[in-house]
Amino acid sequence: MTKQSNILVIGGTGKTGRKVVELLKNQNQNVRIGSRNESPSFNWDDPNSWQKALEGMDKVYIVYYPDLAVPGAFESIQGLIEIAKKTGVKKAVLLSGKGEKEAERCEQVVANSGLDYTLVRASWFNQNFSESFFLDPILAGHIALPMPNARIPFVDTGDIAEVVVEALMNETHNGKTYEITDPNALTFEEAVNIIADSTGRDLKYQAVLQEEYNTMMKAAGVPADYIWLFDYLFREVLGNPNNHVITSDVEKVLGRKATDFKVYTMKTAKTGVWHQSIPQSV
Ligand SMILES: NC(=O)c1ccc[n+]([C@@H]2O[C@H](COP(=O)([O-])OP(=O)(O)OC[C@H]3O[C@@H](n4cnc5c(N)ncnc54)[C@H](OP(=O)(O)O)[C@@H]3O)[C@@H](O)[C@H]2O)c1
């Protein structure tokens, strides 16, 4: 039987974190959800909240928000790791972005901390189409995005969560870095067409220039720092062909193939999320 640990899941209400929480609970682990709405609360913007959330924990899954590439992320990860060491945490698993050069400084803080650690670099999530910024355009039936030629090996958050839990629970993953992707790399147009097939909806992809996309975000009231982040993620991550590479790390860690994008779309279509009425803001 697996030994019971106390595990803080930062971002435990988010796309990967809530699946990590569920899987750990299924394994009888003591889980504390790191969220602004829990008690003790955890807020990246309030370093005073970090110690209480870490106290009594053996392990921590770190999901930084909004992204390890943003200014201030490095200092926050440094601060968190210092407190984690003082409070007796033994292991940290960090969620990072595949191909995000800027995030590597944060990864190094964890890798050089003296704690046991695993780095999980994920490609863009499938669930961005159903739980995040691509959902509204899908509901509107018109998806205008830059980087039409980028081949993106999207990854399912269920696969990420399983890899994270395996890394948290099994010491053979200590010191390892995993880069996790889907078995296929798709352009935005191909991804949209697969969603159209799975839902029976008429969805149109339109290629736009990055500058046009930034202007659209500004007009929609997206804050300037988020426009900077999206610009970085599109140009630096999707614009770099090295990041279009498919990996076999899901299979290496889980002993099974990564979830195909089509499997994700078929499953998600059944939930009805892509058939909701169009929100007012669109
Ligand atoms: N989305 C992708 O395609 C992708 C790809 C690779 C890597 N990543 C990485 O995954 C991480 C999460 O990204 P995501 O956009 O997908 O978000 P997410 O994990 O789905 O959700 C946001 C989570 O962050 C928490 N959160 C938001 N603001 C917070 C704050 N100030 N303090 C503490 N917690 C806060 C929310 O908790 P509460 O609201 O409950 O407080 C929620 O649990 C980022 O580091 C990103 O770089 C994302």
Side-chain angles (χ1 to χ4, degrees):
M1 210 176 109
T2 322
K3 188 173 159 271
Q4 197 172 50
S5 299
N6 297 321
I7 307 176
L8 173 66
V9 178
I10 298 176
T13 56
K15 289 194 275 305
T16 65
R18 66 169 197 277
K19 291 178 179 171
V20 168
V21 168
E22 197 184 319
L23 291 169
L24 288 173
K25 284 187 174 168
N26 290 344
Q27 293 195 23
N28 243 343
Q29 300 302 307
N30 284 325
V31 181
R32 179 179 287 166
I33 296 175
S35 155
R36 291 164 297 178
N37 302 313
E38 290 286 327
S39 181
S41 103
F42 181 92
N43 188 342
W44 282 114
D45 300 330
D46 176 13
N48 293 325
S49 70
W50 302 349
Q51 173 138 351
K52 270 223 157 63
L54 284 163
E55 270 167 6
M57 296 294 111
D58 306 306
K59 303 176 185 183
V60 58
Y61 172 46
I62 306 172
V63 175
Y64 185 76
Y65 193 86
D67 196 286
L68 291 175
V70 306
F74 175 74
E75 291 74 13
S76 292
I77 297 295
Q78 260 186 331
L80 183 90
I81 290 294
E82 276 314 308
I83 298 174
K85 287 191 330 193
K86 280 189 198 136
T87 53
V89 169
K90 298 282 180 289
K91 173 152 189 171
V93 175
L94 176 72
L95 178 65
S96 184
K98 181 176 178 291
E100 283 190 47
K101 276 269 153 242
E102 299 292 322
E104 286 176 20
R105 273 196 338 139
C106 297
E107 294 177 0
Q108 285 313 304
V109 172
V110 177
N112 296 328
S113 64
L115 298 175
D116 289 337
Y117 75 92
T118 308
L119 305 176
V120 178
R121 293 179 180 158
S123 187
W124 279 34
F125 301 168
N126 293 346
Q127 280 73 5
N128 291 335
F129 289 97
S130 48
E131 299 177 28
S132 192
F133 44 96
F134 298 153
L135 176 59
D136 282 359
I138 297 273
L139 294 178
H142 178 232
I143 301 92
L145 290 170
M147 295 291 165
N149 300 321
R151 301 205 69 83
I152 310 155
F154 293 103
V155 64
D156 200 87
T157 53
D159 289 352
I160 300 171
E162 282 189 44
V163 168
V164 166
V165 169
E166 175 59 27
L168 282 167
M169 300 311 299
N170 189 330
E171 61 187 34
T172 60
H173 303 293
N174 290 355
K176 303 266 173 66
T177 299
Y178 295 118
E179 299 208 326
I180 55 177
T181 75
D182 208 50
N184 301 301
L186 303 168
T187 63
F188 280 125
E189 185 165 26
E190 287 166 345
V192 166
N193 288 343
I194 293 171
I195 297 172
D197 283 349
S198 303
T199 55
R201 292 193 48 210
D202 182 20
L203 302 177
K204 294 266 179 295
Y205 169 75
Q206 183 197 348
V208 293
L209 295 173
Q210 185 65 51
E211 291 72 20
E212 289 175 292
Y213 188 63
N214 292 353
T215 305
M216 282 161 51
M217 286 194 285
K218 196 171 175 192
V222 177
D225 45 356
Y226 278 83
I227 297 177
W228 175 88
L229 176 60
F230 281 112
D231 186 273
Y232 168 82
L233 292 172
F234 277 99
R235 283 186 209 266
E236 299 295 323
V237 181
L238 301 191
N240 180 351
N242 293 336
N243 296 329
H244 306 168
V245 173
I246 293 162
T247 71
S248 57
D249 283 1
V250 168
E251 198 167 353
K252 208 187 288 172
V253 177
L254 301 179
R256 62 149 177 89
K257 290 220 178 305
T259 304
D260 192 282
F261 190 78
K262 280 186 195 146
V263 173
Y264 152 73
T265 61
M266 295 303 286
K267 200 168 145 190
T268 306
K270 286 187 193 144
T271 68
V273 70
W274 287 322
H275 281 96
Q276 304 168 74
S277 54
I278 297 166
Q280 293 296 310
S281 57
V282 173

